[in-house]
Amino acid sequence: MTRPPVRHRIITASLLTVAALYFLVPVYWLAVSATKNSADLFGTFGFWFSAHPHPVEYLTAVLTYDHGIYARWFANSLFYAGTGAVCATLLSAAAGYALAKFPFRGREAVFNVVLAGVLIPGTALALPLYFLFSAMGLANTYGAVLLPSMVSPFGVYLCRIYAAAAVPDSLLEAARIDGAGEARIFGGLGLRLMTPALVTVFLFQFVHIWNNYFLPLVMLSDSDLYPVQLGLTSWTGYADRQPVLYQYTVGGALLSVVPLMVLMTVLQRYWRTGLTEGSVKA
């Protein structure tokens, strides 16, 4: 295999370095700022520690402020993102598997509708969903955020193209000849062979739900139901009257990225496999 010219490698390494700095510098600033009190947050250099950093004390104050409301928001985000991502992954797997392995009239039309769903931004659907859920009596409940999060058109798309390539028809026929039912074949063979794609769908959906701000903003009015992103924004709104909330918002933002970093670290091997194989198999 011929190695690329040195000039191309230098350009590639430079671009990757710039991209890495673009994403890592804000995290570094967040980690440094979380060690400062409100006065040092605005009165010292932003990219270095203050004279008296107390990260544990300040992060503890974030968790205990207002009877531990941040911990409740954090638990709400874990519930929304965890439950929504698991349900979306299973529904996407079932829909993608069915579209890939069961020919029926209108299958391509259904798949094209799913592809169209990928192109519609979530913000365009938030207001119609609010009116729908309000009419059903579900506005300002956990279900108002959780139910829309269980749908992932991109997950259906990825599972369909992955199932078409990774689940052999001959293996399914052999299982049917042995007497296995369709549900058992899907659960015992389909899901196992589609594991890299399922991990990819779960990770994408978890991050999407965790960072979703607009849908909870439209759906929720009770602060006890807020996810972390919406709760931190509400703190920012009161920070002019209570400057300590600037410090708590920075500390809360740092804690909120921890689950995403852990997930990326643990699942990146499966995620890369599912994404690359799904992108080339059709």
Side-chain angles (χ1 to χ4, degrees):
M1 181 178 178
T2 305
R3 299 186 62 182
V6 175
R7 183 181 59 183
H8 291 175
R9 282 184 284 165
I10 292 176
I11 293 174
T12 302
S14 301
L15 292 176
L16 290 176
T17 302
V18 171
L21 290 175
Y22 176 81
F23 290 105
L24 292 178
V25 167
V27 178
Y28 170 76
W29 179 89
L30 201 58
V32 170
S33 299
T35 67
K36 302 177 180 179
N37 57 28
S38 296
D40 291 337
L41 193 61
F42 296 101
T44 61
F45 181 57
F47 289 95
W48 194 244
F49 300 93
S50 63
H52 305 287
H54 298 283
V56 176
E57 177 183 341
Y58 297 150
L59 292 179
T60 302
V62 173
L63 296 173
T64 56
Y65 176 74
D66 194 13
H67 305 289
I69 188 64
Y70 180 83
R72 185 180 181 92
W73 293 340
F74 196 91
N76 289 340
S77 284
L78 285 178
F79 174 69
Y80 292 136
T83 306
V86 169
C87 293
T89 302
L90 293 177
L91 290 174
S92 298
Y97 179 83
L99 288 170
K101 295 302 174 183
F102 295 98
F104 57 88
R105 180 176 297 180
R107 181 173 68 170
E108 293 306 318
V110 172
F111 186 60
N112 289 333
V113 171
V114 172
L115 288 180
V118 177
L119 303 177
I120 300 176
T123 52
L125 300 175
L127 197 56
L129 282 174
Y130 171 76
F131 288 124
L132 176 64
F133 279 70
S134 181
M136 298 169 62
L138 292 175
N140 196 33
T141 65
Y142 284 109
V145 177
L146 187 59
L147 291 177
S149 302
M150 294 180 180
V151 179
S152 173
F154 172 75
V156 176
Y157 163 77
L158 183 61
C159 286
R160 188 216 170 159
I161 61 175
Y162 196 91
V167 183
D169 291 335
S170 57
L171 187 63
L172 301 183
E173 288 299 327
R176 292 184 182 114
I177 292 174
D178 289 340
E182 295 298 338
R184 184 177 179 184
I185 295 174
F186 172 67
L189 293 177
L191 289 181
R192 291 187 180 182
L193 294 174
M194 294 166 61
T195 297
L198 301 185
V199 173
T200 303
V201 173
F202 173 82
L203 194 55
F204 269 97
Q205 193 67 7
F206 188 95
V207 174
H208 169 72
I209 300 171
W210 187 272
N211 291 328
N212 194 354
Y213 168 76
F214 193 67
L215 181 65
L217 175 67
V218 172
M219 292 291 185
L220 303 177
S221 57
D222 185 352
S223 62
D224 286 343
L225 304 180
Y226 283 1
V228 167
Q229 312 301 338
L230 189 55
L232 292 179
T233 305
S234 69
W235 275 358
T236 307
Y238 293 108
D240 290 339
R241 284 170 285 177
Q242 294 179 268
V244 71
L245 290 178
Y246 284 119
Q247 172 194 333
Y248 293 168
T249 301
V250 171
L254 177 64
L255 292 176
S256 71
V257 303
V258 172
L260 302 183
M261 296 174 68
V262 172
L263 270 183
M264 284 289 183
T265 303
V266 174
L267 300 178
Q268 63 174 332
R269 180 166 60 92
Y270 301 99
W271 171 65
R272 284 182 302 183
T273 302
L275 190 63
T276 53
E277 291 190 13
S279 64
V280 299
K281 292 179 177 180

